[in-house]
Structures are given as structure tokens and as C-alpha cells.
Amino acid sequence: MIKFNSIKSFSKSAIIALLGFLISMGITFFLWFNAHEKAQKDAKKNFEAFSVKTTVEIKNRMLAYENVLHGGAALLNTVEHMNRKKWHIYVESSKVVQMYPGFQGIGVSDVIPADDLRNHFKKMREDGFEDYQIKPSGKRDEYHTIVYLEPLDAKNRRAIGYDMYTNPVRKQAMVRARDTGTAALSDKVTLVQEQGIDKQAGFLLYIPFYHLENTPKTQIQRREDIKGFVFAPFRARDLMNEILQQKNDNVAMQLYDGSVDEKNLLYNRGTVVSQPLFKKTIPIEMYGHTWTAVFQTLPSFEESIDYEESHLILLSGFPISFLLLLSIFFYSQTTERARRMAYKMTAEIRALNNELETIIETAPNPIILHTEDGRIVKINKAWSDSSGYSLSDIPTTDIWVAKTYKDDHKKVKEHIHSLFSITEKVDEGEFSFFSKSGAKITWQFSSAPFGMLNGKRAVITSAMDVTELKNKDDMMMMQSRHAAMGEMINMIAHQWRQPLASIAAISGILNLEAMMDQYDQEYFMEKLDLISNLSIELSDTINDFRNFFKEDKQQELMTWKEIANGSLTIIEPILKAKNITLHTRVEDDALFMVYPREIRQVILNILKNAEDVLTDNMISEPQIWIQTLREENMSCLEIEDNGGGIPEELINKIFDPYFSTKMEKNGTGIGLYMSKTIVEQHGKGRLTVHNTARGACFHILFPIHR
């Protein structure tokens, strides 16, 4: 029989250990997948930022060329006798070729009536072009020939005399520039300068200039007064290679003139793969024309993604899971032995739990602790006194609802069930029900998650009886304290989790050591001392919260350091858990007269609001600054965050009663109103707020005691 029990115990331990191993490996793969996905999301973000930045650089470069062409048009309108030498000097002095390489030159085309051809030929031949001809030849009413093109190298010389108006693509852009009086970009063309085998796709940018000094106001006038065009021809590949030099070699780019079609391809960089990891298409609208940029990742891009974190998780997850399997197995085999050892180590924890139960039991607000299976674990004296029901009368939430709510049973049950999905403290608002004596009473509820009890999610709910409260400020003060009580309960639950987890971990280690007969008295005493210290930490936590809610009987002379430290002790662990960096410089030792607990509640309320703003706005590096200042005869505590500030249309309303920007999160709108009341009416101080470059900045000021 003994052997059978041993085999049964061994099998059960093996099954439990195997389940633990599978769960741990499942968590490992889950974390690996998340890290892998995060790496890809970061890579996609960088890819899209590169794509947008590249299109912006293209538009900025074209804008620079446009400005140079506008300068040329202005020169032509102001110089009476323009000649080739003056145009050469302008282009050289502008240094545009050196500053913005990638285009073929800056040119001028004149509009020449057919009856003025003789003078035109004479002028061009006197200008050094003895064999000058208009290309293509033929008779027409007017000619749009290129007369200047700098720099005048061999390629550009071939373009002198070319009538661009005879080409339909160029003509379309020239007509658009002439009729609108603005810059116009042509469709894809082959430049007349192109020779040999290295022919590239090209395009031209046109700026019109007129016989009048200013651009004519109507289209008819612009057509009649057109004098010519300042233009720039571009070789697309040379231009884009210059703009994109030293860019990401892991991303391919195609630039199309209009729609994505091979015949419209202006520029191609990189060998496109059939299934890129990321792809993005961006239209570039300029000068009455649209280009389409297509960005695609290359295989080298995916190879460059940093998956180190996900690989590390996978490599470390297996040995950790294997060690967990061994730990669970050995732990299960020594349950009875571990239970005896755990009795001594958990004695102090039981005492602390009793102390927490005492605090809940004697709290002035009604408090209930209940689990998701409907069981009511505990109700305190205030709850029983106010409602008339004891725990034996209402052992479950269903019985509570059936006895106290005459209507809306289903709605109330659904609301209670929804509380088990919350992850932080929520204010639920007011609910009216009937006491055991039949009197209708109204409570205002707030709830916070309490962790797991017997494998079930638990929620702790506190209430405030508002049935008889009529005075607005009394109501608000009670609501404010009730909200603070809810926050405190949430913070107690948070600050107990880590010490309890540490105690459980140490207990497991000691059990494993004892099971493996590796008992070392000095080592065990060291670990027991650590458990004792953690127990003291839990006790100190309870004392901090108990002191926070002590009533202030009279005003006291205090410094900001004494007051601020009391609030920071409560909320700083919550801020650290949410990765919010807290900067404190509380150095002013001036004394002032206040009710300390009320001012600590004001500071806690402002810090909690800052925490909500930083979390809701998903600030990448959330921070809060707390410092002391002097303003004349006032001592000031400044609290500033980097959450982006308060909208200007709301900043003058935030101290109004029942005004809240967090209604969707059950915000009551009383916190800042009561904070201002406490500071200015109870303490004769000032509470103000303004926006800074980083976010919202609150000032709490009190007269310095003389």
C-alpha cells in the first residue's frame, strides 16, 4: 500500500511538473512571438519614416530648383539688354550647379514670331553660333527656341535652337505654365541632349516670363504677353541618385511619372523581390503634376532586423522551463515537509493579514470583498451598520441584489460581474437600494482589483453613504475622501504584491534545498531574516496608509519636504510600476500653517491625474518633476509633467465642480475642485495651473509663517 501511494504521488508530481513545463514553454513562445512582432513593427516604422522622408527631400530639392528658375525669370524682367554673357554670369554666381547637382542646366527659350526670324538668326550668329538653325525646321506662326542654356557644354550646345513647342509633351507643360503663370512640370521625355547608349528618362521644369514686369492677371493677357520660359532639363537617374546618396541600401525605390506602369518608370533603385516584407506607395504632387514613389524592402532589410531579444527569450526560455519542471516536481514530492517549514515563515504574514482585516473592519466607509463566483468574503462593520445586513444575511452578491434592489436586478448583476475585468481602481457612481429596515439609501461606490482568492478573481469595493448629504461642498469633500480611499485600497494591493511574491520565491528555494538534503543553517537563517524584513516592509506599508487617513484636528506648521514625502511614499511605487520617472528637488525649508493630511490628498490627486494623462497619451518617456520655489512671501510646490498639457479651451474649466476630462473612465470631476477648495479656503493659499513646453504645471502656494 505504501509503495502504491508512493507511485501515485510520483505520478501526480510528474504530471503537475509536466503541465508547469508546458505552461512555461507556452509563455516563452508567447514572449518570443511578441518580441519578434515588436522587432518587425519597429522595422516597419523605420521603413515608413524613410519613405516619407525621401519623398519630402525630393519635393524640397525641386523647390530649390524652382527658386533658382524664379530668380532667372526676375532677372530677365529687370535687365534691359540680356545677352549670353549676363546669363552665364547669373548661373555661375548662383552656384546652383555646385550646390544642387543632378540637373542639366538652366536655360531660356524665347517666343519668336515668324516675321522676326531674320533678326533672330542675325542675333544668334553674332552671338557665336555661326551654323545656328531652328530645330525642327518648317514654317509656323511662332517659334519657342532655346537661346541660352548654362553650363554651355557639348551636350547643352546640341539643344540650342531646339523648338520645344513642337514636342507635344513639352508643349503641354509650357501651355500650363503660360496660362497659370506658375511653375509646370512636364511628363516623362527623352532630352535632346541624350546621345549614345546611356540614355535616361528625363523631364523639364518651366517658369514663364512676360513682356510686363508683373504676371498678367487674366489667362487671355498671359497668352498675349508671353515672352518666353526659364526652364531646367533633368536626367531622372542622375537627379535621384544625387538626392538619395548615402540612403538606405536595404530599400528599393521606383519613381513613376503618373500611375504605376513600366512605361512611366522614371527611376529604379534596387532589385525588386516578388514578396517584399514591407511596401509603401506615396504620390508626390508638384507643379500640376503627380509622380508616384514605390518603396519596397529588399532581402537585406529583413536580415538587418534586430531579432536578438526574441532569440534570447527563446534560448533562455527552455532551460528556465526545464528548471521549473524540476522545481515543481521536487516541490510536489516534499509537500508535507515544506508545509511544516512554511508554518513558521507565514506566521507573520497571517498576523499582517489580520491587521489588514482590522483596518478594513474599522474603516469609516462601508467595505465589501467579493469574488467572481459571487461569494462575499467579507463585509465590514460600517457596511452592516448602514445597510442592516450581516454576512450571514447576504453570503453572495446574488442574495444581496435580490434583497436590496427592488428593480433592475439583471442590470446590477451585470455591473457587478463587469468589475472583475478591471485592472485598476474605478469610480462606479451612485446606486440606490433598500436597507434591511426598508429605508431607501444611496451609496457612492468605487472598486479595485484585489488579486486571487481561492483561485477566483477578487474585487474590494468601498462605498460612501450620500443619502443625507445636501451641502454641495460637504458632498464633494466626502466624495473626494471616498475616491482617495479607493485609490489607497488599490495602492495597498499593488505594494503588497512584490513582497508576497518574494516571500513565496524564498520559501520555494528553502523547500528545494531541504528536499535535496542540502540544509545549511547559516544560509537558512539568512533567508529567514530576509522573510522577516519583507514582513516588516508589509507592516510599514499598512502604517503608511493608516497614517495617511488620520484626521487632522488642527492646523500645523509644516515644510514641503514633510508634506511631499508623505504623498510620495504612497504613490511612488505605482509610478515606478508604470515606468514613470519622478524627479524631485524639494529643498525649501520654509514653514507654513496647513492641515497636513488634506494637502497630502491634494498632492496625491495632482500626481494621480498626471499618471493618467501620461498613460492615456502613451508618452514614450513619461516624466514628472516636483520642486519647491519661492514667490515673494509664498512657498510654492511645483508639479509638472510631460503629458502635452491641457487644451486651451479646457484649462479655465478644470477647477469647476463636476468638470472632468475623464468621463469615459468614470471621472467624477471633483478632485481638482476640492483641491482648490482645500488650498484656498481651508489653507488660505493658492492653487493655479498653466501649460509649459512639456505639459501641465501646477503651483500650490502658502504664505510663509513669520
Side-chain angles (χ1 to χ4, degrees):
M1 185 67 179
I2 295 176
K3 184 176 181 181
F4 175 77
N5 288 336
S6 299
I7 295 173
K8 183 178 180 181
S9 175
F10 180 87
S11 300
K12 184 178 179 181
S13 299
I15 292 172
I16 294 173
L18 181 60
L19 287 175
F21 174 77
L22 294 176
I23 291 171
S24 179
M25 286 302 297
I27 293 172
T28 297
F29 280 111
F30 175 76
L31 295 175
W32 168 82
F33 178 79
N34 282 348
H36 190 275
E37 286 294 295
K38 180 180 180 299
Q40 287 206 353
K41 285 180 180 178
D42 291 343
K44 183 177 181 180
K45 184 177 179 181
N46 293 335
F47 164 75
E48 292 185 343
F50 167 78
S51 303
V52 172
K53 182 181 178 183
T54 299
T55 58
V56 170
E57 289 182 359
I58 292 172
K59 293 184 75 170
N60 288 342
R61 177 59 65 86
M62 294 305 299
L63 180 62
Y65 295 139
E66 179 196 357
N67 290 336
V68 174
L69 296 187
H70 274 298
L75 180 69
L76 292 167
N77 281 330
T78 54
V79 175
E80 290 187 6
H81 302 291
M82 174 57 70
N83 56 39
R84 187 173 311 283
K85 183 177 180 182
K86 291 178 181 178
W87 186 253
H88 173 76
I89 292 172
Y90 165 69
V91 175
E92 281 291 309
S93 62
S94 68
K95 298 189 182 299
V96 66
V97 176
Q98 295 85 349
M99 293 175 61
Y100 303 108
F103 72 128
Q104 295 302 298
I106 305 175
V108 177
S109 71
D110 283 344
V111 177
I112 304 164
D115 57 7
D116 197 34
L117 277 180
R118 184 181 297 275
N119 290 333
H120 173 69
F121 275 102
K122 180 182 178 182
K123 180 181 177 182
M124 292 299 293
R125 286 167 180 165
E126 288 175 352
D127 214 12
F129 291 88
E130 296 179 358
D131 56 350
Y132 174 79
Q133 294 292 331
I134 293 178
K135 299 163 284 187
S137 60
K139 293 183 179 182
R140 37 195 180 269
D141 293 337
E142 62 181 20
Y143 301 82
H144 293 254
T145 61
I146 299 174
V147 294
Y148 306 140
L149 187 55
E150 292 289 340
L152 195 58
D153 54 21
K155 286 186 177 182
N156 284 339
R157 269 186 172 272
R158 287 197 293 268
I160 299 297
Y162 176 63
D163 185 350
M164 294 184 287
Y165 212 64
T166 60
N167 178 268
V169 174
R170 293 172 173 83
K171 180 179 179 179
Q172 184 185 45
M174 294 167 76
V175 168
R176 191 167 70 251
R178 177 198 67 191
D179 289 351
T180 62
T182 60
L185 197 65
S186 78
D187 289 352
K188 174 182 175 182
V189 297
T190 300
L191 301 176
V192 295
Q193 293 96 321
E194 293 292 349
Q195 295 281 327
I197 59 174
D198 184 28
K199 290 186 178 181
Q200 299 182 22
F203 58 90
L204 298 100
L205 181 64
Y206 292 95
I207 298 286
F209 64 97
Y210 302 87
H211 287 285
L212 301 176
E213 183 175 344
N214 297 318
T215 302
K217 295 183 178 180
T218 67
Q219 187 183 83
I220 294 175
Q221 289 176 327
R222 289 193 285 270
R223 289 181 175 180
E224 291 176 351
D225 293 332
I226 186 67
K227 188 176 181 181
F229 299 88
V230 180
F231 70 96
F234 297 87
R235 302 179 85 200
R237 190 200 316 149
D238 290 350
L239 174 64
M240 293 303 151
N241 283 342
E242 200 285 321
I243 294 176
L244 300 177
Q245 60 180 324
Q246 297 180 348
K247 295 296 181 182
N248 195 334
D249 292 330
N250 298 326
V251 178
M253 174 189 170
Q254 292 79 44
L255 187 66
Y256 296 90
D257 179 34
S259 62
V260 178
D261 193 309
E262 188 64 30
K263 67 181 180 180
N264 297 333
L265 185 64
L266 279 173
Y267 173 72
N268 183 31
R269 179 175 186 262
T271 303
V272 180
V273 296
S274 57
Q275 291 294 330
L277 183 62
F278 303 125
K279 181 177 180 179
K280 189 173 185 65
T281 300
I282 303 177
I284 307 174
E285 297 181 356
M286 301 180 297
Y287 312 120
H289 202 73
T290 301
W291 287 346
T292 303
V294 180
F295 298 89
Q296 302 180 71
T297 56
L298 299 173
S300 57
F301 180 91
E302 188 167 4
E303 294 171 3
S304 69
I305 298 177
D306 185 7
Y307 291 114
E308 182 177 350
E309 182 180 353
S310 63
H311 294 158
L312 183 62
I313 290 173
L314 200 59
L315 289 174
S316 60
F318 180 78
I320 291 174
S321 299
F322 184 73
L323 289 175
L324 180 63
L325 182 146
L326 294 178
S327 299
I328 294 175
F329 177 77
F330 291 132
Y331 180 79
S332 298
Q333 286 287 288
T334 57
T335 301
E336 188 60 35
R337 190 174 181 181
R339 187 183 296 116
R340 290 194 298 269
M341 294 181 63
Y343 179 80
K344 178 181 178 181
M345 292 186 288
T346 57
E348 292 183 63
I349 304 301
R350 293 194 188 98
L352 290 171
N353 280 327
N354 292 335
E355 188 173 358
L356 180 59
E357 286 191 14
T358 301
I359 291 175
I360 293 175
E361 179 66 23
T362 58
N365 287 40
I367 295 177
I368 183 173
L369 180 63
H370 52 112
T371 56
E372 62 182 324
D373 59 355
R375 186 169 65 94
I376 297 178
V377 179
K378 181 175 182 59
I379 59 174
N380 70 346
K381 186 175 183 299
W383 187 289
S384 296
D385 291 345
S386 184
S387 69
Y389 289 102
S390 64
L391 183 59
S392 61
D393 296 326
I394 49 168
T396 69
T397 52
D398 285 349
I399 295 175
W400 160 258
V401 172
K403 287 186 175 183
T404 58
Y405 290 90
K406 291 187 176 181
D407 301 313
D408 295 330
H409 289 185
K410 183 178 179 182
K411 184 177 179 181
V412 174
K413 288 180 180 179
E414 289 176 352
H415 172 75
I416 293 174
H417 183 72
S418 69
L419 296 176
F420 296 99
S421 62
I422 62 176
T423 57
E424 58 185 17
K425 177 251 182 185
V426 295
D427 295 315
E428 304 167 58
E430 296 180 1
F431 288 83
S432 296
F433 59 91
F434 291 89
S435 67
K436 191 172 185 179
S437 64
K440 186 177 182 179
I441 58 178
T442 302
W443 285 1
Q444 190 171 68
F445 291 86
S446 67
S447 295
F450 196 75
M452 304 292 287
L453 289 178
N454 297 324
K456 303 294 182 182
R457 289 178 294 182
V459 167
I460 187 166
T461 300
S462 64
M464 178 181 67
D465 191 339
V466 296
T467 309
E468 302 298 332
L469 289 175
K470 300 298 182 183
N471 181 275
K472 180 189 71 174
D473 284 346
D474 288 345
M475 170 74 81
M476 287 187 172
M477 180 61 79
M478 289 295 291
Q479 288 176 320
S480 179
R481 291 181 179 178
H482 172 66
M485 173 68 82
E487 293 289 353
M488 292 305 107
I489 291 172
N490 185 41
M491 293 176 187
I492 288 175
H494 173 85
Q495 290 187 225
W496 270 44
R497 288 177 194 140
Q498 182 60 43
L500 287 175
S502 298
I503 290 173
I506 296 170
S507 173
I509 293 172
L510 295 181
N511 291 335
L512 183 62
E513 294 288 338
M515 183 278 300
M516 298 179 70
D517 293 328
Q518 294 181 358
Y519 179 83
D520 181 277
Q521 183 176 1
E522 182 179 352
Y523 176 79
F524 268 55
M525 291 304 298
E526 177 187 341
K527 295 303 179 183
L528 289 173
D529 287 342
L530 180 55
I531 290 176
S532 178
N533 291 337
L534 290 170
S535 302
I536 293 171
E537 181 182 334
L538 296 178
S539 180
D540 290 342
T541 300
I542 291 178
N543 289 334
D544 289 338
F545 285 99
R546 182 193 291 115
N547 292 336
F548 188 88
F549 281 104
K550 284 184 178 178
E551 290 291 334
D552 293 333
K553 300 301 183 183
Q554 60 184 10
Q555 287 188 321
E556 299 179 32
L557 280 174
M558 303 291 291
T559 66
W560 278 124
K561 181 178 291 187
E562 295 171 310
I563 293 175
N565 286 344
S567 296
L568 294 179
T569 298
I570 301 299
I571 199 171
E572 191 167 10
I574 300 293
L575 299 180
K576 287 182 178 179
K578 296 192 176 183
N579 295 319
I580 298 175
T581 303
L582 189 64
H583 308 275
T584 57
R585 194 177 67 188
V586 182
E587 300 172 349
D588 192 353
D589 57 357
L591 293 168
F592 45 87
M593 189 72 74
V594 290
Y595 292 103
R597 185 197 61 76
E598 291 188 347
I599 304 306
R600 289 191 182 101
Q601 185 174 332
V602 170
I603 296 172
L604 192 65
N605 184 46
I606 294 173
L607 290 173
K608 190 65 176 67
N609 285 345
E611 173 206 329
D612 291 341
V613 167
L614 294 170
T615 303
D616 293 346
N617 292 348
M618 293 185 289
I619 304 300
S620 59
E621 295 183 3
Q623 301 180 72
I624 298 175
W625 292 265
I626 302 177
Q627 63 174 339
T628 50
L629 307 168
R630 286 283 184 96
E631 294 188 11
E632 298 179 352
N633 63 336
M634 309 283 278
S635 182
C636 171
L637 183 71
E638 180 182 86
I639 303 174
E640 181 183 4
D641 61 62
N642 65 335
I646 304 168
E648 291 300 325
E649 66 272 15
L650 302 181
I651 197 166
N652 293 325
K653 300 179 182 179
I654 64 169
F655 293 117
D656 292 350
Y658 294 108
F659 176 82
S660 175
T661 61
K662 300 183 288 185
M663 291 303 181
E664 71 280 2
K665 294 179 65 179
N666 299 311
T668 63
I670 60 172
L672 290 177
Y673 171 77
M674 285 313 305
S675 295
K676 195 171 183 69
T677 300
I678 289 170
V679 172
E680 298 187 356
Q681 295 184 18
H682 297 191
K684 308 304 179 186
R686 292 204 314 269
L687 174 59
T688 62
V689 65
H690 66 277
N691 285 327
T692 67
R694 296 187 289 206
C697 182
F698 286 83
H699 278 192
I700 310 173
L701 302 99
F702 287 104
I704 297 174
H705 183 73
R706 301 297 182 185

